[in-house]
Amino acid sequence: MRIDLHTHTPLCKHAEGEPSAFLAAAAAAGLSEMGVADHIPWPAGYDSDSRMDPEQFPEYREIVRQLQAADSPVKVLYGIELDWVPGHMDEVYRNIETEPFDYIIGSIHFIDDFGFDSPCYIERWQKYGAQWVWDRYADLILEFAENADFDIIAHADLPKKFGFFPESMNYFMEKIDAALAVAGKKGMAIEINTGGLRKKVKQIYPSLDILKLAKHHGLKLTLGSDAHHPSEVAFGFKEAVELAKAAGFTEQTTYHGRIPKSFPIV
């Protein structure tokens, strides 16, 4: 099976292409399953320029339902990409508690009010410095793993997107190791996200070292293109499979009703 669990829709305001075109691209790529996991619109007002508005959520649900009903060899899964927003997670979970998601992807795109992966905030990297960004991000990853309900850790070393690295990775690796240990005990997965190949850093998220830690702690593995255009569906999966195998993974995981099921990596 070939599975891409991380694709978006134009509702996020930074993706292009009709949802049906994403599904057609998935079929052309020979995928067995495609997961739609757009950015969650809660807490209300959070990062509103880069995600759907709360009142658009029913439209998102309907988009997924229409894709699931389409005549396609690709099974469509209902996912969401959920951000860790300290102090506001009760609002987030209250709004999705009855949603029949197949899986939930956990992400961190902000440190306080700093959207560190957005070109709009690029000048703040100079203000804060790469060391502070990576260290603070690592703290948040650990908090997220310890306190939130989600299935998949997305782009675990996202701060490298623009090619900014700290003088020392020691603190980050220490915290990510602790986070993965927690995640492993909770039965979670880590995502190999090929979107980084399309960014300035030209690297898959996460690094081989992080994937080896994930394997050591017993995490499952998913593959995601982070597609924001139909042409990006299943992008870079050959390289992703090679990286997964180098880290010792032999299986990939999919989710139906938030129940994991694993298959050999191909």
Side-chain angles (χ1 to χ4, degrees):
M1 295 183 69
R2 300 186 73 222
I3 304 165
D4 186 344
L5 289 186
H6 198 154
T7 71
H8 290 269
T9 80
L11 287 178
C12 73
K13 304 171 187 172
H14 58 286
E16 299 178 344
E18 290 297 319
S20 59
F22 281 77
L23 183 57
L31 295 185
S32 306
E33 298 182 350
M34 182 189 80
V36 185
D38 220 338
H39 298 281
I40 198 166
W42 295 285
Y46 169 77
D47 192 24
S48 57
D49 292 336
S50 300
R51 59 192 64 231
M52 73 184 90
D53 300 322
E55 57 268 24
Q56 292 178 300
F57 191 76
E59 181 181 353
Y60 174 64
R61 186 192 299 118
E62 183 60 24
I63 285 172
V64 177
R65 286 176 176 169
Q66 289 180 2
L67 292 177
Q68 290 174 329
D71 182 14
S72 172
V74 181
K75 181 180 178 67
V76 175
L77 304 179
Y78 182 31
I80 200 75
E81 184 173 1
L82 173 152
D83 276 54
W84 175 239
V85 188
H88 296 274
M89 298 308 293
D90 286 347
E91 176 189 348
V92 173
Y93 286 112
R94 185 170 63 250
N95 280 285
I96 64 171
E97 61 184 356
T98 62
E99 285 299 314
F101 292 122
D102 286 306
Y103 60 95
I104 298 175
I105 295 176
S107 299
I108 295 174
H109 294 93
F110 272 75
I111 299 171
D112 302 323
D113 65 345
F114 173 32
F116 61 87
D117 79 317
S118 171
C120 299
Y121 294 89
I122 197 75
E123 75 285 348
R124 291 211 200 175
W125 276 91
Q126 292 184 343
K127 176 181 177 181
Y128 294 116
Q131 192 70 59
W132 181 88
V133 174
W134 279 82
D135 289 355
R136 182 69 184 117
Y137 174 83
D139 290 336
L140 293 172
I141 283 281
L142 179 54
E143 289 178 18
F144 201 10
E146 289 176 332
N147 296 291
D149 175 25
F150 64 101
D151 304 299
I152 303 165
I153 299 174
H155 36 60
D157 53 1
L158 183 59
K160 72 182 181 183
K161 177 178 179 177
F162 300 115
F164 300 138
F165 289 92
E167 291 185 9
S168 172
M169 292 286 286
N170 290 343
Y171 186 84
F172 173 82
M173 293 303 295
E174 174 187 332
K175 291 295 182 178
I176 199 73
D177 184 36
L180 294 173
V182 171
K185 291 177 181 177
K186 294 172 75 171
M188 295 164 63
I190 192 167
E191 169 195 71
I192 291 184
N193 183 310
T194 59
L197 292 172
R198 305 189 298 270
K199 307 304 179 183
K200 186 174 181 180
V201 71
K202 303 296 183 186
Q203 294 180 12
I204 288 175
Y205 310 114
S207 69
L208 179 59
D209 287 344
I210 293 173
L211 286 172
K212 286 181 176 179
L213 286 175
K215 175 63 177 173
H216 170 74
H217 288 299
L219 274 78
K220 300 173 180 65
L221 182 77
T222 66
L223 302 183
S225 64
D226 213 339
H228 286 71
H229 187 275
S231 64
E232 297 170 353
V233 174
F235 172 85
F237 270 27
K238 179 177 182 295
E239 294 90 334
V241 167
E242 291 172 352
L243 186 63
K245 291 180 178 179
F249 287 97
T250 59
E251 293 185 325
Q252 62 179 323
T253 296
T254 187
Y255 291 84
H256 300 157
R258 300 196 66 189
I259 297 174
K261 187 173 183 179
S262 295
F263 299 88
I265 293 176
V266 294

